[in-house]
Amino acid sequence: FAPNPTSGAVRLSGLTEAEVLVVLDQMGREVAKTAVDAGQQAVEFDLPNGVYFLGTEKRTSLQKLVIRH
């Protein structure tokens, strides 16, 4: 995904099947969740400034996401 940091809009790439994306705060609490379709190219998160972790619902791997408005 890109850009990072972002104001909330995230470009996606490489989605070959529908997924559920989750955003976790630094304590591991789920703060956002959204379903995305295969080939979807963008998603928007309405979150305050901070450091989060973005991954799929399976949470096999997480990537750091920085939100800065």
Side-chain angles (χ1 to χ4, degrees):
F1 69 91
N4 198 10
T6 179
S7 61
V10 177
R11 289 189 313 270
L12 305 172
S13 63
L15 286 176
T16 57
E17 59 185 55
E19 294 276 0
V20 175
L21 296 181
V22 293
V23 179
L24 307 175
D25 67 11
Q26 292 186 33
M27 299 298 290
R29 295 176 295 223
E30 189 175 289
V31 294
K33 184 181 211 177
T34 188
V36 293
D37 296 321
Q40 187 170 335
Q41 296 188 10
V43 65
E44 178 87 24
F45 295 107
D46 185 21
L47 296 168
N49 290 344
V51 176
Y52 300 92
F53 297 95
L54 174 66
T56 64
E57 193 170 43
K58 299 170 193 159
R59 296 187 185 148
T60 53
S61 75
L62 299 171
Q63 295 183 344
K64 185 164 77 169
L65 173 67
V66 178
I67 303 285
R68 188 178 307 150
H69 298 279

